[in-house]
Structures are given as structure tokens and as C-alpha cells.
Amino acid sequence: MDGPATGAPAVNGATLGLPPTQTAASGMPLTHGLAGLLLLADSRLPAGGHAHSGGAEEACRTGAISGPEDLARFLRGRLATAGRVAAALAWSACEAAQAFSRPDKESREPGSPASSGQARVADPETAWRLLDAEADARIASPAQRLAGRTQGRLLIRTARRIWPSTALETLARAVPDGAHHPIALGVAAQAAGCTPDQAAMAAAYTSVTGAATAAVRLLGLDPVTVHRLLAELPYDSVIAEQHDWSALPAHAAPALDLLAEQHLRTEVRLFVS
Amino acid sequence: MTKALVRARAILRTGLDDRGLTRIETIRSDPPLTLRQTAPGEVHLVSTGAGPLGGDHLRLDVEVAEGTSLTVRSIASTLVLPGAGRSLMEIHVYVASGATLVFAPEPTVLAAGCDHRMTTAVTLAADASLFWREEIVFGRHGERPGRCHSRFDATAGGRPLLRQEFVVGDPEADGSPAVFGTARCVGSTLITTETPAEGPKSEPREAEVAEGVAVLPLAGPGTLVSALAADAVELRKRLSWGESRVSVQAGSPARATVGLRPPASRFP
Amino acid sequence: MSANHDDHHDAPDGHGRALRLGIGGPVGSGKTALTAALCRSLGPSLRLGVVTNDIYTTEDADFLRRAGVIDPDRIMAVQTGCCPHTAIRDDIAANVDAVETLEERFGPLDLVIVESGGDNLTATFSRGLADRQIFVLDVSGGDKVPRKGGPGVTSADLLVVNKTDLAPMVGADLTVMSRDAAAVRDGKPVLFTSIREDRGAHSVAEWVAGVVDSWRHQHSHSHLS
């Protein structure tokens, strides 16, 4: 087994040792948004996520997941498909919320990163409904759409109290039944001070952690083994800048659709999805 | 491979004749994309020559005019082969108001070593009807497939209806119980349905699920039948079952059934 | 089903909404039976809603629906992902959503009962979810349970010891339970019942009615000034 890597702490130490005034090229402190990211990605965030397994419960029931190896394949596939789509939606939502929150419209003119997004072409409520429709078009399974909206609604409710923001209020008004979770996450991330990349990271990460935790609970897997799987996943590979909502990634996962629909029809179930 | 890279663009357009019936207005073949009219309002894709091969760039444009009906099928499955670089098949479709398109070619088979990209963009007028079946087979018998990345985009009345991408041959997703599981084929059929009526009386459309296949009412006016299977025969059987369920659910409205009857299966 | 109403969100003080009563306790102690009994006794006089937290599927909700003690639409089931205590204590989002949905659909309500999934002796409700809570024990768990305490036994607003009819059979001494409970509960009430014999759990219902009454007086809109 690998012991604690001896090289890594030195590298991290060098980074962490920088004076807090040190800034990145953007002019922001290097730690900008990180606290919000940690809070949003924490499984203890009281937003209902703990009751969703992302198809893992049904996969455990049918035997598609029975141990760490197939759990690893499940998580990799989930990240590469649903995770990629969630990350793109969260990125876009966070960027749009940033654009809406800028007091000065001029700052959205060409040259500013927000200018290429679609947020500026519409009023905020219309824009949120449009992005939500783009999410809908990427989620064929009604069971998954319902689970996504439920989680989104709970997250908005929670985030509004933690990080009150105009964008969260507007989103809640625009999609009263609950926006899809990655959109809620992106807007909450903006309210929490995160960048679009951080919002996308939170979405990519939470797209697999619920399933991993569910497998630990349901199969009694060694939690350290499972956390190692989580640590080895290529989160960065599913995060990219997005500037055209209609062209956002749309990676489908037919097995997840089947699992989600079967899950709703399974009599004994512990998780909502 | 010494074959020259192919650039082909085939075009298919319908119009109304004097009696108000559909006629094929434009049928422009461009080998290897060869089109043959086989019945009134029905065209078959006849592949002349193998492929696509790596490096080929094929494009098919389909325009179904207002009030007309078109069915597009193919004679045989499409075998995607390796070659010099990536092959591309792009399909652009417009279905006008009151028009109907049934697009149900035979499967695309990804031979070992291929590197294929498929893009389909379907633009539906608000009251256009569509039956669109797509089947992808991961390699010939006993063969590991090459790479394929497909993207399907459909909008209806200017709103996104369905956007889905499949990536085959990606080590991250292949064999994942979350994506294709142990299946060797993936298929889906998009069928437009009436926009769910507003109001408390409208029955919510129920999803249905059976072994390896789900009937999934979309958020917009359509239903997706999505299936996974071990082979092409089983895949078609599962899709056909799901397609028949959509007709059942659609009930009486003529639009949803007449003209959208699934093409007769080549498989028993 | 929209529950994004401003008046619910930022009103944790409870003005203008129903009393939220948590019912917790170990598996099999009679939480669902007590919930049904309260619906039976209080249904005629109070506007009720019920949220169940089932461990598996929607069994408790289905039991209540079959019992016919309340309009089935007024029962909502919440799934808890293997962790019934998480859903009532650490991450109450799904339960709050269910409560608010009931209030929005059927409100105004007087009382929403949130029945927890059966768990262990340490499970208690967050104050963000339940305004008052009842902890239900039964005698067959042994008469030492009150002495052992635990947050549920010590802090619940009301401790209910159920299945007193079984006491002689399981060798439980109700006097001991009563004395031990009093010792750890700092004067808060304890009621002994046998819901099998008293299908309305009348002593408990009376306590709940009193709590609802004083909640109304404290939190009515006219009192906002």
C-alpha cells in the first residue's frame, strides 16, 4: 500500500506558505471561492443529497455493482456522462449568475468572459428557464428529471438561507418546482463566491459521491477503499468552459436511465433515487 | 488504405403535388450516399461502396415540406471502417409544420479500429411529427469496436427536445454499469407526441421499463425509447416493443400513430 | 408542487404556520400506531398533515393510508437513504420540503406530524424541523431504557411508554420506568399508554392538543405586532 506521499506535502506546503495577499492573475486571492466550494461539496450540506444514490442502489440490487471493481467502473462511467453534463450546466449557471450580478452592463461587453454566454441575451428569468430546458433535453428519464428537480429545489431552499443572493431568488421564481440540481448548484456556487470552474468541480464531485456513499452503506464496502476510488477519478477531465448552451455536453447513460426507472418500481428502497 | 478521402453530400426534399400528395422534390445522391425512391414518399439509402472509412466526410440533408410525409430507410447496415483519420457522418433535418418524417435505417456497426463521428441535427416545426431510430452496434461479431462519438440534437418549435451523445470506445465509459453495462449495442427511438395538455385533467405520461429497454416520456412533446442489448436482433426487438408502447400510450390521436407506425422489422 | 414560498423560508420562528410535531423512537415502539391514534383523536378538531420517514419504501405511509384515519393525500413519505436520523437531525431538507408542500397544498394546517424512521435511542429531531417532539419507547425494550437515558429519552418534550399491556409478560416494572424517566427528564412529562387498548391514545392526544393550543396563541398572525 502507498504510505503518505512524501513529495506531495512539500509542494502543497510551498503553495500554502504563500502570504495571504498573494494573488492569481485574475487579481483574486488564490483561495477565492474555496470556502464556498468546500461547503457546497460537503456531504453534510443540509440539502437532501444524502438520500440519493444516483442509481447505485438499484445497481447494487441487480448485482451490477457488487464490489469495488464494478463500483469503480460505475463511478467512472457516471462521471464521464451525467457528471460531465452536470459540470457543464453548473459552469454555465454560475457564469450566468455572475453576469447578472454585475452592476455595470458594460462589463459584459466583448472581452469579458461573460460576454460570450447567453445570459446577456435575455432577462434573468427567461435565461434560467432556457438553461433549465436545456437540462431537461439532456435527461430522458422522468425518474431522473424528478430526482434532479427535487434535489435542486432542496438545494435552493438551503442555499437561500446560507448565501442570500438575487440570482437564487430569481432562479426560484423562474422555476418554482425546482431547477435541475446542477443549475441550482451553479447559482448557489456563485452566491457562495465560487468561480464557474469551482461550481463545475462541485457538480462533477457530487455526481459520484452520493453513489459511492450509497454503495458503502448498502454493500458494507470498506469506506477507505471507496474513498480511494473517489480520489482517483478524473474530475478535471469533465470540466470545460462553456459558451453556447445549446452545444453543452449531452452525454447519455442508458444504463442509468434504466436503473432510475427500475428503482422507482422496486418495492424495497432506501434511497429516493 | 490507399482510397482517396471521400466528400459527399446527398440531399432529399419533399413537396406537395397537384393532388396534395407527397412527392419527392429533390433526390440528389452523392456516392457513397445513394438514394433510391422505393415507394411514394419512401426512400432507401443504398450504400455504394464500403464505409464510411476513416477520413470520409459524408453529409445528408433532409427537408420535409409542410404537410408532406417521408420515410427513409436503408438497405443494409452501415459498416464504419478505419482509414486515414476520423470519419464523419452528419445529418441535417428540417421537418416543417404538419409534416411527418420516419427515419429508420439499419444499424451502424463500428468495426475494430474505426474512429467515427456522427452528428444529427433535427429541427422540428411546432406541429411536425417524427419517428427517428438510431442503432449502434459495438463491433462485428466477436470484435472489439473502434471509437465512435455520436451527437443527436432535436428541437421542437424552437425549444430543445432531446440532446444526447454516445461515446463508444472510451475507456472511462466502456463496460461501466452506469453507461452501457455489458451490452454490445445501444439504440434509441425518438417519437414525437402531443404536447401534454395543461391542466389537472391531463394524465401524466408514465415511463415504462422492461428488460434492457425503457419508454421515457421527455419533458417536451416526445418520448424516447432507449435500449441496450447483447446483439442487434435483441436490440431491435426491445426497441420495437418500446415503440409499440408509445403508440398505445398515444391513444387515438391520428398524428401520433398514423404515418408513424414503426417500419416493419427485418427481424422476426 | 412548489414549496419555494418566501413566507415559509425565512420564518423559522413559526409565525403563521402549523405546529410541527416530531415523533421519534426505536423500531417497533409504536410510532406509526401513535401517529394513527393521534389522527383518530385529533382529526375531528384539528387540520392535520403527516410526513412519514420510512426505512424501506413507503410502508408506514401505506399503513396510515389503509388505516383510513386521515385523507391519504395529506400523508407524504420521505425516503432517508439508510439514515433515518440524518433526515430528521443533520439534513432536514427533504422533511422540511414535505412539510411545506403539505402546508401549501392543504393549508392552513394546525398540526403537521413528522414521524421518524425507527432508529436508535440517540435520534432526536432538529429544532429546524420539529417545534415539539415526542419520543416513544415500549416496555418490551426493557425497563432499564429510561435509566440509560440518551437524548431522545431525556430531551423530548413528551416521553411516551407504549405497550403497557405487555409489561407483565416481559417482566417490565412500570414503577421503575416512571421513576427513572422522571429522574433524567427534569420534570418533563411521561405518559404510559397501550395504543392497542386505547386506539385514540387519549392522554397523548390531550397533551398534543394543549401544545397546539398554546402554539396558536403564541404564533398567530394577530400576535405579530
Side-chain angles (χ1 to χ4, degrees):
Chain A
M1 280 306 291
D2 298 348
T6 46
V11 175
N12 289 342
T15 308
L16 293 173
L18 293 169
T21 50
Q22 182 76 30
T23 56
S26 62
M28 294 287 191
L30 284 173
T31 52
H32 176 81
L34 286 180
L37 172 61
L38 290 172
L39 286 160
L40 279 167
D42 192 336
S43 67
R44 286 168 297 189
L45 180 76
H50 72 98
H52 292 262
S53 81
E57 180 176 24
E58 188 64 16
C60 290
R61 192 186 70 80
T62 61
I65 299 178
S66 60
E69 293 77 21
D70 36 34
L71 175 62
R73 282 194 294 274
F74 184 91
L75 298 177
R76 283 182 176 272
R78 197 172 207 293
L79 179 65
T81 54
R84 186 187 308 272
V85 174
L89 289 166
W91 200 101
S92 304
C94 183
E95 192 237 27
Q98 280 182 341
F100 291 139
S101 72
R102 285 195 190 98
D104 179 10
K105 284 200 172 205
E106 297 309 306
S107 66
R108 290 194 231 147
E109 287 309 300
S112 106
S115 63
S116 46
Q118 288 175 357
R120 71 198 192 104
V121 307
D123 69 280
E125 288 196 33
T126 308
W128 292 134
R129 278 191 288 270
L130 177 62
L131 187 56
D132 197 62
E134 289 290 350
D136 261 344
R138 286 164 174 76
I139 311 170
S141 147
Q144 292 209 70
R145 286 199 301 274
L146 180 63
R149 287 198 183 285
T150 303
Q151 290 186 82
R153 187 172 70 244
L154 302 194
L155 176 58
I156 291 168
R157 179 204 310 283
T158 296
R160 284 166 84 180
R161 287 181 57 195
I162 305 175
W163 300 285
S165 89
T166 312
L168 279 166
E169 296 304 318
T170 317
L171 178 62
R173 253 200 322 274
V175 195
D177 285 353
H180 281 288
H181 182 258
I183 298 173
L185 186 54
V187 176
Q190 187 271 333
C194 297
T195 63
D197 282 339
Q198 290 168 341
M201 179 58 84
Y205 176 75
T206 54
S207 77
V208 287
T209 46
T213 305
V216 169
R217 291 184 193 163
L218 293 166
L219 299 176
L221 301 181
D222 176 353
V224 180
T225 305
V226 172
H227 253 69
R228 181 171 174 154
L229 299 179
L230 288 174
E232 289 169 350
L233 288 177
Y235 303 99
D236 296 328
S237 71
V238 301
I239 297 170
E241 272 194 36
Q242 310 292 342
H243 294 295
D244 175 2
W245 288 355
S246 66
L248 294 181
H251 292 64
L256 284 182
D257 289 344
L258 287 169
L259 289 169
E261 296 299 335
Q262 280 161 2
H263 183 262
L264 273 193
R265 291 156 182 79
T266 297
E267 200 185 340
V268 174
R269 54 179 199 269
L270 299 142
F271 290 83
V272 183
S273 73
Chain B
M1 303 272 166
T2 52
K3 180 176 166 289
L5 302 185
V6 172
R7 295 287 177 276
R9 182 174 179 185
I11 297 172
L12 192 52
R13 281 201 197 94
T14 62
L16 283 178
D17 68 13
D18 301 342
R19 295 171 300 165
L21 299 175
T22 300
R23 71 189 172 104
I24 308 295
E25 189 109 351
T26 308
I27 179 161
R28 196 184 96 181
S29 298
D30 192 359
L33 293 177
T34 303
L35 302 165
R36 291 273 182 273
Q37 183 163 0
T38 45
E42 182 178 291
V43 168
H44 273 74
L45 261 166
V46 187
S47 282
T48 45
L53 276 65
D56 290 357
H57 185 159
L58 312 182
R59 174 174 174 150
L60 172 66
D61 291 355
V62 180
E63 202 180 309
V64 190
E66 195 169 332
T68 65
S69 297
L70 176 67
T71 298
V72 179
R73 300 181 194 186
S74 70
I75 296 293
S77 52
T78 302
L79 180 64
V80 184
L81 294 164
R86 171 178 273 196
S87 52
L88 172 65
M89 175 77 207
E90 55 178 306
I91 305 178
H92 299 260
V93 176
Y94 176 70
V95 187
S97 175
T100 297
L101 172 64
V102 174
F103 192 91
E106 294 307 305
T108 298
V109 181
L110 307 173
C114 75
D115 182 9
H116 191 50
R117 172 86 209 195
M118 286 193 274
T119 61
T120 303
V122 179
T123 305
L124 300 168
D127 61 345
S129 298
L130 180 74
F131 176 103
W132 186 283
R133 186 196 285 146
E134 183 177 86
E135 294 161 305
I136 304 174
V137 179
F138 308 165
R140 288 167 291 196
H141 186 72
E143 180 182 59
R144 287 182 61 83
R147 278 189 65 92
C148 174
H149 182 175
S150 75
R151 179 165 176 130
F152 179 91
D153 285 277
T155 61
R159 290 178 60 81
L161 175 62
L162 176 68
R163 302 194 195 279
Q164 64 173 8
E165 291 176 74
F166 292 123
V167 177
V168 182
D170 170 12
E172 293 298 331
D174 278 3
S176 169
V179 186
F180 302 127
T182 55
R184 305 270 307 145
C185 311
V186 61
S188 54
T189 307
L190 172 62
I191 304 172
T192 52
T193 49
E194 302 279 349
T195 312
E198 296 292 329
K201 279 192 174 171
S202 77
E203 286 286 312
R205 295 172 299 153
E206 281 279 333
E208 290 188 69
V209 62
E211 182 72 31
V213 54
V215 180
L216 306 167
L218 301 174
T223 294
L224 185 74
V225 179
S226 176
L228 292 168
D231 58 56
V233 176
E234 188 176 61
L235 182 70
R236 180 65 64 86
K237 220 188 254 172
R238 289 177 175 178
L239 286 176
S240 297
W241 175 82
E243 291 157 8
S244 72
R245 299 306 299 167
V246 180
S247 313
V248 169
Q249 288 196 340
S252 56
R255 244 192 65 215
T257 48
V258 177
L260 288 186
R261 210 167 288 123
S265 170
R266 293 166 57 84
F267 303 103
Chain C
M1 76 165 169
S2 132
N4 283 313
H5 281 223
D6 298 322
D7 46 344
H8 294 316
H9 273 287
D10 296 309
D13 62 347
H15 280 289
R17 63 159 173 79
L19 173 80
R20 298 170 182 180
L21 175 69
I23 297 184
V27 179
S29 58
K31 294 181 296 300
T32 309
L34 177 59
T35 303
L38 291 177
C39 290
R40 241 176 240 124
S41 297
L42 301 172
S45 53
L46 297 180
R47 295 163 296 188
L48 298 177
V50 173
V51 177
T52 64
N53 284 231
D54 291 289
I55 308 181
Y56 299 119
T57 178
T58 55
E59 203 175 310
D60 289 350
D62 294 342
F63 173 88
L64 288 174
R65 289 187 180 115
R66 279 196 306 275
V69 291
I70 180 173
D71 169 7
D73 291 340
R74 290 176 177 240
I75 304 169
M76 289 197 66
V78 167
Q79 274 134 342
T80 57
C82 285
C83 287
H85 61 270
T86 303
I88 61 163
R89 189 184 58 200
D90 311 288
D91 182 352
I92 57 176
N95 269 309
V96 172
D97 187 57
V99 171
E100 290 184 358
T101 302
L102 282 173
E103 291 198 80
E104 190 190 323
R105 275 191 206 157
F106 302 104
L109 299 175
D110 301 306
L111 173 66
V112 178
I113 298 173
V114 182
E115 184 201 332
S116 84
D119 205 350
N120 55 42
L121 294 169
T122 65
T124 54
F125 284 84
S126 158
R127 289 168 198 277
L129 174 61
D131 304 304
R132 300 285 183 276
Q133 50 188 305
I134 296 177
F135 199 76
V136 186
L137 290 176
D138 72 287
V139 300
S140 61
D143 56 15
K144 292 188 191 64
V145 173
R147 188 168 68 229
K148 288 178 185 161
V153 171
T154 57
S155 70
D157 299 289
L158 173 68
L159 178 67
V160 170
V161 180
N162 187 26
K163 305 189 190 176
T164 51
D165 52 315
L166 297 180
M169 282 167 262
V170 298
D173 187 334
L174 298 181
T175 327
V176 169
M177 291 183 92
S178 174
R179 187 196 61 210
D180 291 348
V184 295
R185 285 180 48 75
D186 206 18
K188 291 191 289 292
V190 183
L191 292 171
F192 288 79
T193 66
S194 165
I195 297 171
R196 197 161 61 168
E197 292 168 347
D198 172 11
R199 303 202 346 117
H202 286 96
S203 57
V204 184
E206 202 176 305
W207 180 87
V208 175
V211 170
V212 171
D213 208 39
S214 49
W215 174 265
R216 257 199 220 129
H217 282 99
Q218 285 166 27
H219 297 97
S220 64
H221 275 299
S222 59
H223 203 75
L224 268 171
S225 57

